Amino acid sequence: MSAHCQLTGAKPGFGNQISHSHRRTSRRFDPNIQRKRYWLAGESRYVRLTLSAKGIKTVDSIGVEAAVARIRARGGKV
């Protein structure tokens, strides 16, 4: 699964992991990505969305129909 939110566009951040001796190695900061299934009443079907935790809260707030409209407006496939 790609660490990318369909609604908010959250992607991994990159940085360095610094050891006790201060040696640096590359690391990734991944967003909290979940796959969630929602009933899309307008199309009478379920849609499975890949969302971050913030994206799930946004869907709870604005509703599934509005969230899918935003994803499609960004050019995403649902």
Side-chain angles (χ1 to χ4, degrees), residues 2-74:
S2 159
H4 175 260
C5 178
Q6 289 180 303
L7 182 60
T8 63
K11 294 179 185 174
F14 294 90
N16 288 315
Q17 186 160 355
I18 303 178
S19 70
H20 180 69
S21 63
H22 217 67
R23 292 179 66 125
R24 294 159 190 251
T25 54
S26 295
R27 63 159 296 177
R28 259 169 78 126
F29 296 91
D30 285 329
N32 184 7
I33 297 293
Q34 311 291 328
R35 287 201 55 167
K36 200 146 164 59
R37 195 174 82 145
Y38 291 100
W39 174 252
L40 194 58
E43 299 179 16
S44 300
R45 68 182 184 107
Y46 284 101
V47 291
R48 191 175 297 274
L49 302 176
T50 305
L51 301 169
S52 62
K54 184 178 177 181
I56 292 172
K57 292 175 190 174
T58 304
V59 170
D60 292 343
S61 167
I62 67 172
V64 182
E65 301 282 343
V68 168
R70 280 191 194 179
I71 292 169
R72 287 181 174 150
R74 295 182 74 216

